[in-house]
Each structure stands twice: as structure tokens, then as C-alpha cells.
Amino acid sequence: MNNYQHIDQQHYLPVFKRFPVTFVRGEGAWLYDENDKAYLDLLAGIAVNALGHNHPKLTEAICSQAQRLMHVSNFFSTPPQALLSKKLSEISGLPRVFLTNSGTESIEGAIKIARKHAFKKGRGHQILTAHRAFHGRTLGALAATAKSGQEAFAPLPEGFKKLDPLWGDDLRRQLDASVAAVLVEPIQGEGGIRFWPEGWLQELQTACHEKQVLLILDEIQTGIGRTGHWFAKDAFGLQPDLMTLAKGLGGGMPVGAVLCSEPVAQSMDYGDHGTTFGGNPLACSAALAVLEVLARPGFLKEVQEKGAAFCQTIERHQAVQINEVRGLGLMIGIELKKEALPVVKELLNQGLVCNATAGNVLRLVPPLTIPKKDWLEAAETIVQTIKNQAFAHA
């Protein structure tokens, strides 16, 4: 244990199970610890560092803006906030934007907006969410999340029910007048990089429109190029009433967003929602730099190609220890027959950073800029490590 880890254990709230590594700098897709050991970052701060580490476009934008204006408050407009709102509207097709500091704040904002809209329409306040969902850790987001151990934080906000992924009339019967909105992730991240049955998201969107229920897509992990599209909704042919963003939007700077349609936006009045730090010039400048890089010709196509090549590499080995490889773009889950954490620890020893989710799923969400050569070499190392771990515990 180094000195920083000792200080951390003495003073930080013990809510994280940290690995025994202290990172001090990063460059591209690589992280370096206090001994200057290099690690290939396949986690990107949990899908946050979209451009990797120390990207020149992003660092220049942050440094330049910090020298001009960092914060004023939302009593006033600033150029970075106005330009970011415009850009997000253009790439999403959703004309209204509210900027936040994090994903869980974006979820809380979306819930408030949906309930205000339902109130004005004379509908109920229920929010339907999915089994295995994860939407955050503040109380409203936690109430929308499928997670054990919630009784310790009771009473959670009321008005949340689970949606069964049914079809046709069975689906529509769940969308009665008590329901304000359905909140779903287009691909479940913490749930194990899980996809919905083919066509179900489109069926859900149609049903929501028919029943006048708002559709909220949680694109906090899937958005901002992660799947090789601006948003996962584009891959599935969806257009929600509201959408939440964060993680990759700032490339490492804390910034999130709630986007919504004009009819939904018109339900909100002055003072219905607000934020102190959300949409500050520094965070908005970082987000604009990220979006500018992602908009370069061929960038998102390359994300798609790198993801497909990785999955093909894993599948080619036909490792019996692997149940399934799931992914879209650079959001990939390798479902193992056993717990994934021992593999994560061994990969860390070998200089690869990733994590385990849903027990037996190895989650890989690297920087979108990761070089293809490094990425595919990592695939080979991962497969061999999975095989070696299985042999060692046989």
C-alpha cells in the first residue's frame, strides 16, 4: 500500500472497493501508475474518457476557457453553453437541452420533466423502468434502478414500477393512464451489456406514442459515439421524447444533459428546475471539443469497425469458458461461465484496465480513440487470460 492509498483509506468514505493501483498520468489510451508502469485503459473511467487521456483538442479547450471564464451562474448566458445546446439539438433531433453535472442529475431532471408533463396532461405520475436497470445513485435514480440493498435508504421516492418486456396488447396494458413515462437504457450497461430482443425497442416506442406515454432513453453510457453512432437510438431507429446524457460528453469533465422534444419542454415553467454548476463555460467548452473530434469524417465508422473486429477476434478463439460476446461499437461485454472479477484482477496485473459487471460479465468500454493494433492485441491477451484462469481453478 502506497502513501496515497493509506491516506485514501483514512479519509475517504469507504464506498468503493479500490484496486491497489494509483494512477498519476495518462496519454492516449494508456494510464501510468506512480512507478511509471503502463496500463492499456479498456475502461475509460467507465465510458467517460471518450478521447482518451491528454487529448490535445480537449486539453487546449479546457485551458483556454479556464483563462477566460469558468463560472457565472445560469442567470446569464455564455457562448459555450449556447453553442453546446445548439450542437446537441442538431445531432439528436431534440430541440431543447438542460445541462447538468452528472448522469444521475440528468435522470433526476428527466423524471421531473416527465412528471410535470404528465401533470399538465392529467395523467398519473408512475415511471416504468426495466428489470436489471441502472440509472444512478441519488434517491430518485435509485428508485428507478433494479438493485438490491435499497431498503437501507428507505423510504425511496414512490411512483416507480417495473416494466415487463412484453409485446402487443400485453405491453400496451402496462401503459395505462397512471403512467407518465417509460425509462429504459437502449443497451443495459451495468446490467451486463445486455440488448433487448430484436424489434422490442421499436415496439415500445410505438406503444408509448399510441398510449401518450413519454419514452425516456437513458443514453448516459451508450451516447456520445460509444456505439459507433452519435447515440444508440440512431442504431435502433428510435426518437425518444426525452434523452439523458453524461459520461463521454465531457471527455472527463463532469457534464451531463437532458434533451427533450418541444411539446415536452413547453410543460416546464420558470423555476421548475435549475442548477448552480450545470452548463458552466468550462464544462461546456470541454464537451464542444469532444463533439468536434467525434464529428470528424469517418470517426464514428471507425468506432464501429474496431468494435466488430474485437468481437470477431474473441469469437474466433471459441473459448469454452465464454458464454457469449455482446457489443455495439466500443461497448462490449464478454459473458463468462464463472465470475469475472478474478479475470479483471489478473488482467490488471498484466497491464489491462477493465471491470466486471453483473457478476460474470467482463465490461470493455475503452477510449473511442484507442489504436486498433493495441485494441486487438488486448483481445488476444483477454482470451488467453480467461483460458489460463479457468485452467488454474480447474
Side-chain angles (χ1 to χ4, degrees), residues 77-387:
S77 62
T78 64
Q81 186 183 104
L83 293 173
L84 178 58
S85 299
K86 181 175 184 287
K87 183 63 176 178
L88 288 173
S89 293
E90 290 172 348
I91 62 177
S92 69
L94 293 167
R96 293 290 181 168
V97 176
F98 181 88
L99 295 168
T100 71
N101 304 287
S102 67
T104 196
E105 283 184 52
S106 297
I107 291 293
E108 297 282 352
I111 290 169
K112 282 184 67 177
I113 294 167
R115 284 185 166 165
K116 180 66 184 298
H117 182 267
F119 177 80
K120 283 200 164 184
K121 295 292 183 180
R123 297 186 62 86
H125 63 268
Q126 293 283 348
I127 307 289
L128 303 188
T129 64
H131 301 277
R132 294 196 301 261
F134 182 86
H135 298 294
R137 290 187 170 89
T138 50
L139 285 177
L142 191 63
T145 290
K147 195 172 179 66
S148 61
Q150 293 182 341
E151 62 276 0
F153 307 107
L156 294 180
E158 297 179 350
F160 295 87
K161 295 193 300 185
K162 289 304 171 201
L163 173 73
D164 293 320
L166 303 174
W167 298 79
D169 291 341
D170 291 330
L171 173 60
R172 286 160 176 79
R173 272 192 287 271
Q174 297 178 83
L175 307 179
D176 59 32
S178 71
V179 177
V182 174
L183 168 62
V184 294
E185 304 156 88
I187 304 169
Q188 292 187 321
E190 292 292 329
I193 316 297
R194 295 187 184 277
F195 290 72
W196 298 100
E198 186 174 353
W200 185 78
L201 284 172
Q202 295 82 354
E203 172 85 353
L204 175 63
Q205 177 173 268
T206 299
C208 284
H209 289 171
E210 290 176 4
K211 304 292 283 187
Q212 298 184 315
V213 169
L214 297 182
L215 176 62
I216 309 172
L217 286 187
D218 178 346
E219 292 245 25
I220 291 164
Q221 190 164 157
T222 56
I224 314 300
R226 175 55 52 188
T227 64
H229 303 265
W230 277 116
F231 310 102
K233 75 178 182 67
D234 303 326
F236 298 119
L238 304 171
Q239 185 63 353
D241 301 290
L242 297 101
M243 181 168 68
T244 59
L245 303 174
K247 288 193 179 287
L249 179 57
M253 284 291 291
V255 57
V258 186
L259 282 60
C260 67
S261 68
E262 189 64 36
V264 172
Q266 292 305 314
S267 300
M268 298 296 282
D269 298 309
Y270 294 114
D272 278 348
H273 200 47
T275 175
T276 297
F277 294 107
N280 68 76
L282 190 63
C284 289
S285 293
L288 284 166
V290 170
L291 297 180
E292 184 177 337
V293 173
L294 267 60
R296 291 173 179 171
F299 186 96
L300 294 177
K301 181 67 173 177
E302 188 175 327
V303 170
Q304 295 176 32
E305 292 170 351
K306 285 188 285 193
F310 184 95
C311 291
Q312 290 166 6
T313 299
I314 299 293
E315 290 167 348
R316 187 177 66 246
H317 285 274
Q318 297 182 324
V320 297
Q321 300 86 0
I322 296 175
N323 280 331
E324 185 182 17
V325 181
R326 300 184 288 267
L328 186 63
L330 291 177
M331 183 176 182
I332 293 171
I334 303 175
E335 183 178 304
L336 307 179
K337 288 186 166 66
K338 294 185 177 180
E339 289 291 303
L341 186 57
V343 176
V344 170
K345 291 179 177 179
E346 179 53 32
L347 287 172
L348 188 63
N349 291 335
Q350 297 183 50
L352 296 181
V353 178
C354 57
N355 88 314
T357 188
N360 66 332
V361 177
L362 198 65
R363 175 168 51 177
L364 305 161
V365 283
L368 304 183
T369 53
I370 189 170
K372 188 173 181 179
K373 180 177 181 292
D374 294 338
W375 178 229
L376 296 184
E377 286 178 358
E380 299 285 351
T381 301
I382 288 168
V383 171
Q384 192 56 53
T385 300
I386 290 170
K387 291 179 177 179

Side-chain angles (χ1 to χ4, degrees), residues 25-58:
R25 66 184 180 92
E27 191 70 35
W30 294 88
L31 288 164
Y32 297 85
D33 68 13
E34 74 277 14
N35 298 313
D36 213 35
K37 177 181 175 179
Y39 298 76
L40 186 62
D41 188 359
L42 306 182
L43 187 60
I46 316 180
V48 169
N49 301 102
L51 304 185
H53 306 278
N54 197 24
H55 191 282
K57 184 73 177 178
L58 180 56

